Structure formats: structure tokens, C-alpha cells
């Protein structure tokens, strides 16, 4: 990683005089900060640069892992990339958009999983175009079952199973909670309760989907349920928070 840092400095220092490169504390890749934004309004442009060595077997590579004693992990990032690109094509970009939403879910719920675990699980269940809400439903249902059965295997069958950031029981619980809220959102939307649907989806993606006041819709639902002789209980209760309703979770 230090050799990579020196080579990048040699190649780019003249073009980018504010270039800085971080190695210390980095687990797998060196972090390159160009000190020069490429998009208006951004402070900087950064890149992660991975170094690797061919594995003696001819399958996969050794990639850095500074958090373990051996300092290297065996992986097959080339095959991983090919699999992800195929999934993006097969789903007409739904795969990539779903992964992006799931990364938001992961970050706002204490990061129970690493991003590669999310992608690996998506590879096992998303293989055709569909609305994003359905892709989320399929993922959380599939991921909860898979994590309940054990660690996620490497899709390329080269590296060890993918570790979790929390106990398997806790990750499974969070996946099930997200699955239940997605199911509830779809149920509400199908029944013509868009504010209730939005409120349920807000629990999963609070930074992306504004909360909505579903008080009137919920009152009408409960009244209708009681009139037809059903129960007024719900599996996931609704709280209220007044914002301007925004439908932000369709295709």
C-alpha cells in the first residue's frame, strides 16, 4: 500500500498539487484526496485505490486486510465485478438503485452489515426488472432467511463467508423489522392509504422518505375494520409527525 502511495504521488503530484494519500488506518485501499472538486458544490474528489497480488492457485487475488494478523485476504474482485455488472444489466439498473437504497438503510440503522454483504445477498435474489419497492421487499425477505441460516457465502466461491458487524441474531432482527415495514407500506398503498404507506417506509429509509401524518387514514382504516367485524390491532403501530406528504418510493 505504501508502494502504491509513492507511485500515485509520482504520477499525479504535478497535475494535482493538493493531492494527499492516506495509508495509515486504511483496511484495504489507500485513500486518494485530489484537493480538487469535479462537481460544483463539492469540496473534493476522492478515490479508493486497491492493490492486489495474484493468488498462487490462479483463482482470485490477495487483497490487503490490515485488521488481521495475516494482513491479506483471498478474494476474487474481478468475478465480483462481472457478476454485479451482469445483475445491473439484467435488472435494467434496478440492482444498482436497490443497493444504493439499502446502503442508506444500513447506515441509518447502525451498519449491521458491510456493503459487500448487501451486494452479495442482492445477487442471490434480484435478477429481473421490478419496481424498487418490490425489490426492497424481495431483498429483506430473502436476506432475513439467509442470515437466519448462517453467514453469507462468497458469490465467487473463493473467499471466506462474509462477516457481520453485529451478532447474527441482531442482524436478523433488523432485517425482519425492515421487511415487516416494507410489507406494511405495500399493504397500505394497495389499499389506497398513501400517507400510511409513506409513514411505514419512512421507518426504513428515514433520510430519504419524509414522514407523513397518517392519522386520518389510520382512523378510517380502524373504523372500517371494526365495522366489518375485524380487529383493530396492527402488527406495526403508527405514530404521527406532520410534514408535507411526498410520494418518494415508486419506480
Amino acid at each position: 500500500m505504501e508502494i502504491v502511495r509513492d507511485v500515485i504521488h509520482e504520477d499525479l503530484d504535478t497535475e494535482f498539487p493538493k493531492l494527499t494519500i492516506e495509508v495509515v488506518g486504511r483496511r484495504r485501499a489507500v485513500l486518494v484526496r485530489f484537493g480538487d472538486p469535479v462537481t460544483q458544490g463539492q469540496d473534493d474528489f476522492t478515490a479508493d485505490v486497491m492493490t492486489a497480488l495474484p493468488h498462487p492457485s490462479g483463482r482470485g487475488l490477495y487483497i490487503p486486510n490490515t485488521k488481521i494478523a495475516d494482513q491479506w485476504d483471498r478474494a476474487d474482485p474481478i468475478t465480483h465485478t462481472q457478476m454485479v455488472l451482469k445483475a445491473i444489466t439484467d435488472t435494467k439498473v434496478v440492482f444498482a438503485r436497490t443497493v444504493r437504497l439499502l446502503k442508506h438503510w444500513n447506515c441509518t440503522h447502525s451498519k449491521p452489515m458491510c456493503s459487500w454483504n448487501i451486494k452479495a445477498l442482492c445477487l442471490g435474489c434480484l435478477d429481473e426488472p421490478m419496481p424498487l419497492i418490490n425489490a426492497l421487499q424481495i431483498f429483506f425477505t430473502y436476506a432475513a432467511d439467509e442470515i437466519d441460516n448462517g453467514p453469507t457465502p462468497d458469490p465467487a466461491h473463493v473467499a471466506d463467508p462474509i462477516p457481520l458487524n453485529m451478532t447474527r441474531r441482531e442482524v436478523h432482527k433488523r432485517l425482519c423489522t425492515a421487511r415487516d415495514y416494507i410489507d406494511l407500506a405495500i399493504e397500505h398503498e394497495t389499499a389506497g392509504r398513501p400517507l400510511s404507506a409513506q409513514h411505514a417506509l419512512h421507518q426504513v429509509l428515514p433520510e430519504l422518505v419524509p414522514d407523513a401524518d397518517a392519522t386520518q387514514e389510520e382512523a378510517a382504516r380502524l373504523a372500517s375494520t371494526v365495522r366489518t367485524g375485524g380487529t383493530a390491532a396492527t402488527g406495526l403501530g403508527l405514530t404521527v409527525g406532520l410534514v408535507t406528504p411526498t410520494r418518494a418510493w415508486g419506480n
Side-chain angles (χ1 to χ4, degrees):
M1 293 171 74
E2 291 176 351
I3 292 172
V4 168
R5 177 192 60 197
D6 295 341
V7 169
I8 295 173
H9 272 304
E10 182 178 344
D11 286 348
L12 298 180
D13 274 356
T14 301
E15 185 177 356
F16 299 96
K18 298 179 181 179
L19 186 79
T20 61
I21 303 174
E22 298 179 17
V23 173
V24 177
R26 303 290 299 172
R27 181 180 181 182
R28 296 197 182 279
V30 298
L31 174 61
V32 181
R33 299 184 183 277
F34 288 82
D36 188 10
V38 295
T39 301
Q40 186 175 2
Q42 292 185 350
D43 296 330
D44 197 0
F45 178 70
T46 65
D48 288 324
V49 179
M50 180 81 74
T51 183
L53 298 174
H55 191 270
S57 68
R59 292 191 62 213
L61 303 167
Y62 276 130
I63 61 176
N65 185 351
T66 61
K67 303 300 183 182
I68 63 174
D70 288 342
Q71 297 285 289
W72 297 91
D73 278 334
R74 185 183 176 189
D76 194 349
I78 296 175
T79 297
H80 293 164
T81 300
Q82 292 171 342
M83 296 174 74
V84 169
L85 291 176
K86 183 178 185 301
I88 292 173
T89 300
D90 290 346
T91 62
K92 298 188 184 300
V93 196
V94 170
F95 181 95
R97 292 171 178 167
T98 303
V99 168
R100 184 177 295 274
L101 290 176
L102 291 169
K103 287 182 177 180
H104 279 284
W105 165 79
N106 194 50
C107 289
T108 55
H109 293 82
S110 304
K111 295 186 177 180
M113 310 167 71
C114 69
S115 60
W116 172 234
N117 203 342
I118 290 172
K119 289 181 183 178
L121 288 167
C122 282
L123 286 171
C125 64
L126 301 180
D127 57 5
E128 62 183 8
M130 66 187 75
L132 287 176
I133 188 68
N134 297 114
L136 290 173
Q137 183 183 43
I138 288 172
F139 170 84
F140 283 119
T141 301
Y142 176 81
D145 289 342
E146 289 296 305
I147 293 299
D148 191 38
N149 291 330
T152 306
D154 172 29
H157 306 292
V158 169
D160 293 332
I162 306 170
L164 298 170
N165 295 334
M166 298 179 179
T167 65
R168 188 155 57 92
R169 180 178 180 181
E170 182 62 32
V171 175
H172 178 257
K173 177 182 177 181
R174 291 173 188 240
L175 289 167
C176 287
T177 299
R179 176 202 62 199
D180 292 345
Y181 274 120
I182 294 294
D183 288 347
L184 187 63
I186 293 174
E187 177 186 338
H188 283 313
E189 177 69 11
T190 301
R193 298 187 292 267
L195 296 180
S196 297
Q198 182 176 327
H199 176 80
L201 193 60
H202 171 77
Q203 313 308 313
V204 182
L205 300 169
E207 292 188 349
L208 299 181
V209 180
D211 202 354
D213 185 353
T215 305
Q216 292 182 345
E217 284 184 356
E218 181 64 1
R221 182 191 71 81
L222 294 175
S224 176
T225 301
V226 171
R227 283 197 302 269
T228 57
T231 175
T234 58
L236 292 168
L238 296 178
T239 59
V240 299
L242 183 60
V243 297
T244 302
T246 303
R247 174 80 177 275
W249 55 280
N251 293 327

